[in-house]
Every structure is written in structure tokens, then in C-alpha cells.
Amino acid sequence: MGRRTPSSNSSPESDLDTIKVQPRDSGPNLKERDRYLAHYSNQHSRPPGPPPNYQPYTKWLPWLVPIIAIVNVVLFVLVMYVNDCPRNSQNCFGTEIFGRYAFQDVHENPLLGPSTTTLQKLGALDVKKVVEGRQLWRLLSCMWLHAGVFHVAANMLSLLFVGIRLEQEFGFVRIGPLYVLAGVGGSLLSALFVRKKISVGASGALFGLLGAMLSELITNWTLYENKLATLLTLLLIIAINLAVGILPHVDNFAHLGGFITGFLLGCVLLIRPQFGWMDKKRAPSGYFAASKKSKYKIYQYILLIMSLAIFLTGFILGLILLTNGWDGNAHCSWCHYLSCVPTPLWSCTEARCATTQLENQLNMTCTSNHKNGTYILSNPNNTIEIQMLCSKLCK
């Protein structure tokens, strides 16, 4: 079962703590500055410059990111309710403890979650349904579903560590659309290259937040104090997470698509005005000397325009290619290595089986190890379930 990795987005909290989205000086508020100005004016003829530790940017109270995390957990519980393993499957894990919410057998789903059939029915990314059934809504719905307890736990912890920091700095109006669009961007690239498996999870959106952090650092480069240390730390975290994506059964195309989308949107949504412009706008009258600085630097305008153009072009082109059934692997012979690199420890080759089917009864032989198996299908037309049984037989 193709899925976005439950662990590839989990960055250590200690690493994330070293990344400053912007200078975090705790300066006085406007009233404190007014008192400072009044005291200074009694003794001097000219108004002073900014007081020490001046902080021109607003801090936001993060509420959207925690709500997104709660919604994902609630949806996972609802998916398990719909799954109802004891009723729909012969082998379940934890039936005596969880009852209706019992997990599928660990050999079927080692992440402790629902069946592939349930995920497919509730909105998993299934390219065949997207292309032939024109169910484009699956590009959005799949990012709210998760394959198991480990999957949703790892993703939501990562979301809280990364997302809360970004929302504190930039607010829900910017981070909310960025999160959703990055998730859709990850789904779009995944659908162009992962054709035979379903995919679920918020990994694409999470990588979008990492991409936005990187582009925010570049776009607002002059506002940072420890530029090089911040850049190297962030690049290390991104590289480690992307490297995990080369493992089998991990949808690294969703990670890459989300990261690229988030990077482009970060240049558009997370751009910071210059300090001089903020001083002139927010300070009391006469507090600062007249400033002729523009709101943004020239390189910021260039990055904004280029990123917005690339984002819109890529999204429109991707949707056109997807709806026309374009298969990226047919036009790029090496691209599959971006999602899985074969090693002596694992294989990236799809399992292949010879099958004969009589109504719900399926007889299957793996072509690589020649093992045989007979299965009773819950849905004789479910190709995803048949492929999963083939993979299990060929292990």
C-alpha cells in the first residue's frame, strides 16, 4: 500500500528549536516606547532612534495548527469506526480491547490502522479514480487520512513542532492556505508518478512547511542574525527527511511535491517588509527620522514574482497532465529512484502474480518465488486489494 511515510516528517524538537523564523528579540510595546520617548524628549531636543531590543513584527497566538492536528486525529478515529474490522475482516488486531475500532492484521497493515479498501472508499489518492472518474477532490481529501496510529501520531507531532512556530510568526491567514496548497501540490506530483498504489497522509503538507521555512529564510535574508547556522541546520533537517523517502512503501513524490510547493509559496506569503519601513509605519509620530525605504527590497520583489509565476504554471500544467492520464515514469526512466532506491536490504520491484478468479475466490501464484495462495475477496473488483495480497505472497 503506497502511503506517505508516517515518520519521514518527524524532526527532532531539539533541531527545530535552533531555527529562528525571524529575530526573536523581546522588545517593549508601543506604550513602553511612548514613555521612553517622553522621558527622552524632556532632556533632549531631538527624538531618539529605536530603543534597545526593538521588535517591529507582531507575534500571533497559534490556534489553527492545533485545530488541524485535532481534526486529523478525530478523522482517524472516524475512519476506524467505518473500517469496523471485526465485521469486515477475518483477522484483526486488538478486537478484545478496541472492539469495532480494532486494527487490521499487522501483516496487512503494520502501522495499526484500517484496510486499504476503507481508505480507498473514504478518499485516498487513487490515480485511476482521479483520471477515469474525474475525482479531483481526492487530491485534497487524501491529506486528511492516515494509514495507522504510528502514521497519524508522527505526522501530527511534526505538525505541532513546525507549524506552531510558523503560525506564531506569520499568523493563520498565511499558514492555513500554505499548508493546504502544499498538501495538494504533493498529491499532484504523487499522482503523476505513483500510478498503481493509493496514497494517504499529511506528509506533503508538512514538507511544504519545511520548504516555506527555507524560502522564508532566503527571502528575508537581511533580517537574520545567524544566517549561515540557521541555513545549515534547516538544510540538514530537510535532507534527513527526504533521505527517509527512498525507503520502499514511502511516497517520496508527495514529499517532493509538497516541499517545492511550500518553497514557492513561502516566497509569496512569508515575505517580510524592511525594518525601516516598519519603523516608519508603526512608530509614534516623530519617533523615527524620516525614512525613504521601500516596503520590500528589489530581490524580494523578484523572488515573489518568479515564485508566483512558477507556482501557477506548475499547478495548471500538472492538473492538465493528470486529467489526460500522463504517466511520468514513461517519460523519465530514472525518476522512480527519487522514491525508492534498491539495496541488498530491500527491493523496489513491484510484486507480480499469476491469478485465476472465480467470483470472490482468488487463486494466486507469485512469479518470483512460485508460492501459491487462495483468498476470498471482499470485493472481486478491488485491484488494490489484489495487489496487496500479491505483495504479501511474494515476501
Side-chain angles (χ1 to χ4, degrees):
M1 175 178 62
R3 57 179 177 274
R4 293 170 199 167
T5 174
S7 58
S8 61
N9 301 294
S10 299
S11 302
E13 186 176 8
S14 58
D15 288 340
L16 289 173
D17 286 337
T18 64
I19 298 177
K20 298 192 296 181
V21 180
Q22 70 167 68
R24 299 177 180 270
D25 297 325
S26 55
N29 55 30
L30 291 177
K31 291 183 179 179
E32 291 173 330
R33 289 188 301 179
D34 288 342
R35 290 195 296 268
Y36 178 85
L37 175 61
H39 174 73
Y40 192 96
S41 298
N42 291 332
Q43 305 178 36
H44 302 79
S45 58
R46 296 182 60 189
N53 297 325
Y54 168 57
Q55 171 56 267
Y57 298 118
T58 302
K59 292 287 186 178
W60 299 80
L61 177 65
W63 59 269
L64 180 61
V65 167
I67 287 180
I68 291 176
I70 293 172
V71 168
N72 275 273
V73 173
V74 171
L75 286 176
F76 178 74
V77 174
L78 291 176
V79 169
M80 294 306 302
Y81 177 84
V82 174
N83 187 65
D84 195 0
C85 182
R87 180 180 179 182
N88 298 314
S89 302
Q90 296 179 348
N91 298 318
C92 301
F93 177 76
T95 304
E96 296 180 356
I97 300 176
F98 302 107
R100 180 182 183 127
Y101 297 90
F103 309 115
Q104 296 298 128
D105 184 76
V106 292
H107 296 290
E108 178 183 349
N109 186 347
L111 297 178
L112 301 183
S115 67
T116 304
T117 303
T118 299
L119 292 172
Q120 187 182 41
K121 179 172 63 176
L122 295 180
L125 182 58
D126 184 342
V127 176
K128 184 177 181 181
K129 293 183 179 295
V130 172
V131 176
E132 297 180 4
R134 290 292 189 263
Q135 297 179 7
L136 292 175
W137 53 269
R138 290 180 178 269
L139 296 174
L140 176 63
S141 62
C142 68
M143 63 180 286
W144 302 94
L145 301 174
H146 286 84
V149 172
F150 298 133
H151 192 192
V152 69
N155 276 353
M156 292 309 102
L157 287 175
S158 298
L159 172 62
L160 292 174
F161 289 150
V162 179
I164 285 180
R165 287 165 170 77
L166 282 173
E167 190 177 353
Q168 284 176 333
E169 303 296 339
F170 298 98
F172 70 95
V173 175
R174 299 184 184 187
I175 300 305
L178 194 154
Y179 177 86
V180 173
L181 289 174
V184 175
S187 299
L188 184 56
L189 187 64
S190 172
L192 293 174
F193 287 91
V194 183
R195 312 283 297 182
K196 298 180 180 180
K197 301 177 181 179
I198 69 169
S199 183
V200 294
S203 304
L206 293 171
F207 268 83
L209 296 182
L210 290 177
M213 290 179 71
L214 178 61
S215 63
E216 189 273 329
L217 170 61
I218 296 173
T219 304
N220 305 319
W221 184 257
T222 58
L223 305 182
Y224 278 80
E225 297 174 351
N226 301 320
K227 300 179 178 65
L228 185 59
T230 303
L231 177 62
L232 292 178
T233 302
L234 184 55
L235 287 176
L236 177 62
I237 293 173
I238 294 171
I240 292 174
N241 282 274
L242 287 175
V244 176
I246 66 174
L247 297 172
H249 309 298
V250 176
D251 188 357
N252 213 27
F253 285 108
H255 301 165
L256 291 169
F259 178 82
I260 294 171
T261 303
F263 182 89
L264 295 174
L265 289 176
C267 294
V268 177
L269 297 177
L270 307 187
I271 186 173
R272 289 283 199 189
Q274 296 188 73
F275 278 129
W277 186 88
M278 291 295 297
D279 293 342
K280 182 174 61 175
K281 179 183 178 183
R282 298 186 58 186
S285 176
Y287 190 81
F288 287 97
S291 174
K292 297 182 180 180
K293 284 189 175 181
S294 62
K295 186 173 183 179
Y296 302 113
K297 291 183 176 292
I298 295 178
Y299 82 90
Q300 290 179 305
Y301 283 113
I302 294 175
L303 285 175
L304 188 153
I305 295 172
M306 290 180 57
S307 299
L308 184 60
I310 296 173
F311 167 75
L312 292 175
T313 303
F315 245 69
I316 294 172
L317 180 61
L319 287 173
I320 293 173
L321 292 175
L322 177 61
T323 53
N324 284 277
W326 188 82
D327 185 355
N329 296 301
H331 299 83
C332 180
S333 59
W334 56 268
C335 284
H336 63 278
Y337 291 116
L338 295 175
S339 188
C340 184
V341 177
T343 72
L345 300 177
W346 63 75
S347 173
C348 300
T349 306
E350 290 285 341
R352 298 183 181 277
C353 298
T355 62
T356 57
Q357 187 172 340
L358 179 62
E359 295 182 351
N360 286 15
Q361 180 174 313
L362 176 69
N363 298 314
M364 181 180 295
T365 302
C366 177
T367 57
S368 59
N369 59 21
H370 304 292
K371 289 183 179 180
N372 299 304
T374 301
Y375 308 93
I376 302 298
L377 302 175
S378 57
N379 181 359
N381 298 318
N382 190 337
T383 57
I384 300 295
E385 182 181 4
I386 294 175
Q387 180 61 40
M388 186 181 66
L389 291 172
C390 176
S391 300
K392 182 179 179 181
L393 183 66
C394 291
K395 284 185 179 179

